[in-house]
Amino acid sequence: MDAAALFQPFHLKSLHLKNCLVMAPMTRSFATGGIITPESARYYQQRAAGEVGLILSEGTVIDRGSSANEPDIPHFHGAPALAGWQHVIDAVHEAGGAMGPQLWHMGLMEDHSSGWLPPTPFEGPSGLDRAGHPKGVQLTDADIADIVAAFGKAALAAKQLGFDCLELHGAHGYLIDQFFWDLTNKRTDKYGGQSLAARTRFAVEVVQEVRRQVGEDFAIILRLSQWKPDDYAYQLAKSPAELEAWLAPLAAAGVDIFHCSQRRFWEPQFADSDLNFAGWAKKVSGKSTITVGSVGLTGEFLSGLRGESAEPRSLDELLRRFNRGDFDLVAVGRPLLADPNWARKIRENRTQELKGFTKESLTHLVTK
Ligand SMILES: Cc1cc2nc3c(=O)[nH]c(=O)nc-3n(C[C@H](O)[C@H](O)[C@H](O)COP(=O)(O)O)c2cc1C
């Protein structure tokens, strides 16, 4: 396997990466009272030292009462929480890495299994949860303006703390995606509508405000998924034309990179082409894209979260697509939980030393 192509530097605005490998954002639920801990700083530093080019943090929530549905998710607001993140980015830079926080509002969620509830009711586009059932509250225009401002405030904090970029979590059925999705967005005002392009307005306002706060030179990544929780075959954009109509206003609003979440990167997005989601997103938007999903592993991540193990897999198919120019960056999740040195081992072609993923990797942050 010659993976040298993945180890070319990548430059875009504020991003200066030593290679094209990205640590995918992964919720770890180890924060205490919303504050990321020094152990997490060591965890991220260990991955930076293992040579992954860019680290995207676990989802970290903006300043709204119900932006999280569990208590041990890190906040990205308030002096103590931001001091924790300062420690993280300094540790990553010290190890020669680059990093962006994944800014998150979960939206209208199911109650957490622990029974914990946020201080204010869950909120979403239409007061419908991700199964389409009535729950929580429907956002007013004033709420929406406050959420947009909270994303902007978090973005500015990311820049001020010295992060290299930021990612907005617009995937997997959380708030931004709840606006995209017709099951959860039944609004008839300017934030709703029959077409996916019409339901993109909330995300556009978030991106515009984030861009206004961080300036032109700071890289903004937007994570999107066609699939939805419990409906993995779902496609928001059912054709290349719909995909283009979805992404064009987001690119115009200021997105630099689309992070295209798939469970298996090799699955084609539309008929009559083997291009995957990231491949099509790059083709129709002209923007850089990140691919993700079972790179270097046999099983996919949701089965992994349920406890299924996965074995190392060849990167040949990934490299075929990368060398064809389908996408610019490649994100990996579970391989980096199992082994902080995964990227270095790939660079040095130490394939015999690659590890599989087992659920044991989820029990701790720093790998011994
Ligand atoms: C433990 C765990 C937590 C995750 N948390 C998030 C998250 O906070 N935000 C997000 O966008 N994706 C999250 N994901 C999805 C990953 O970013 C990634 O897309 C997925 O694991 C597929 O990559 P992989 O096959 O290399 O693991 C999570 C995945 C795992 C395994």
Side-chain angles (χ1 to χ4, degrees):
M1 180 184 68
D2 182 6
L6 295 173
F7 291 87
Q8 301 304 311
F10 176 87
H11 300 288
L12 198 160
K13 295 189 173 178
S14 54
L15 271 183
H16 301 285
L17 308 182
K18 61 166 155 290
N19 60 51
C20 300
L21 293 172
V22 178
M23 179 172 174
M26 283 179 287
T27 289
R28 303 305 315 276
S29 306
F30 280 102
T32 308
I35 298 172
I36 194 99
T37 64
E39 183 75 354
S40 289
R42 285 190 285 277
Y43 156 75
Y44 285 119
Q45 185 176 49
Q46 207 179 28
R47 273 75 197 164
E51 295 188 11
V52 70
L54 174 65
I55 294 172
L56 294 171
S57 80
E58 61 207 281
T60 171
V61 295
I62 63 165
D63 190 6
R64 280 288 289 185
S66 65
S67 54
N69 87 331
E70 52 171 302
D72 40 18
I73 298 294
H75 296 174
F76 209 81
H77 59 88
L82 293 177
W85 283 112
Q86 181 75 71
H87 196 53
V88 171
I89 185 59
D90 290 349
V92 165
H93 283 162
E94 200 182 289
M99 184 171 188
Q102 188 191 47
L103 303 180
W104 199 14
H105 184 316
M106 294 190 190
L108 218 150
M109 294 293 293
E110 53 276 13
D111 296 353
H112 191 246
S113 54
S114 66
W116 181 87
L117 284 172
T120 59
F122 289 119
E123 56 190 13
S126 300
L128 299 171
D129 68 15
R130 299 192 297 178
H133 300 136
K135 194 168 195 296
V137 295
Q138 169 165 327
L139 292 164
T140 64
D141 281 4
D143 294 327
I144 290 176
D146 193 62
I147 293 172
V148 167
F151 269 111
K153 201 172 69 165
L156 181 60
K159 184 177 177 182
Q160 287 172 340
L161 292 175
F163 281 93
D164 302 274
C165 65
L166 63 83
E167 174 165 284
L168 298 168
H169 194 344
H172 306 172
Y174 296 105
L175 183 68
I176 293 176
D177 200 20
Q178 288 168 20
F179 274 89
F180 292 142
W181 193 12
D182 55 0
L183 180 84
T184 45
N185 183 351
K186 305 284 186 200
R187 298 175 77 104
T188 52
D189 64 0
K190 61 187 180 188
Y191 296 105
Q194 292 300 312
S195 69
L196 173 57
R199 296 190 302 272
T200 295
R201 182 177 182 126
F202 171 72
V204 164
E205 288 188 8
V206 170
V207 175
Q208 283 171 337
E209 176 60 12
V210 165
R211 174 58 74 209
R212 202 175 70 80
Q213 292 293 338
V214 300
E216 267 314 305
D217 193 49
F218 195 73
I220 299 175
I221 304 172
L222 175 63
R223 194 168 222 220
L224 301 171
S225 65
Q226 294 264 48
W227 64 268
K228 301 290 158 257
D230 300 325
D231 194 354
Y232 303 132
Y234 190 81
Q235 289 202 291
L236 279 173
K238 294 174 178 56
S239 65
E242 269 190 344
L243 182 65
E244 189 172 352
W246 181 25
L247 303 189
L250 294 165
V255 172
D256 296 303
I257 302 176
F258 289 108
H259 187 174
C260 301
S261 171
Q262 287 185 278
R263 294 184 306 140
R264 303 177 187 87
F265 76 85
W266 58 87
E267 290 181 345
Q269 196 53 213
F270 302 116
D272 305 326
S273 160
D274 74 344
L275 278 186
N276 73 1
F277 185 22
W280 274 108
K282 185 173 166 84
K283 187 179 161 102
V284 302
S285 73
K287 291 287 172 185
S288 297
T289 59
I290 308 177
T291 197
V292 66
S294 305
V295 170
L297 281 182
T298 51
E300 61 80 47
F301 86 100
L302 292 163
S303 313
L305 290 178
R306 289 192 290 268
E308 210 173 90
S309 302
E311 296 305 318
R313 173 206 288 274
S314 150
L315 294 188
D316 289 349
E317 176 60 13
L318 177 88
L319 287 162
R320 184 182 75 82
R321 290 165 183 264
F322 185 81
N323 288 329
R324 198 169 64 175
D326 289 10
F327 33 76
D328 303 272
L329 299 169
V330 175
V332 292
R334 292 162 298 147
L336 283 164
L337 296 182
D339 185 355
N341 293 313
W342 184 85
R344 178 182 296 119
K345 287 181 185 172
I346 295 294
R347 183 174 64 77
E348 294 174 350
N349 206 11
R350 289 153 61 191
T351 43
Q352 297 309 316
E353 295 174 50
L354 294 175
K355 296 180 185 161
F357 170 82
T358 63
K359 66 176 187 213
E360 199 270 331
S361 313
L362 298 172
T363 59
H364 52 269
L365 289 167
V366 174
T367 307
K368 299 278 181 265

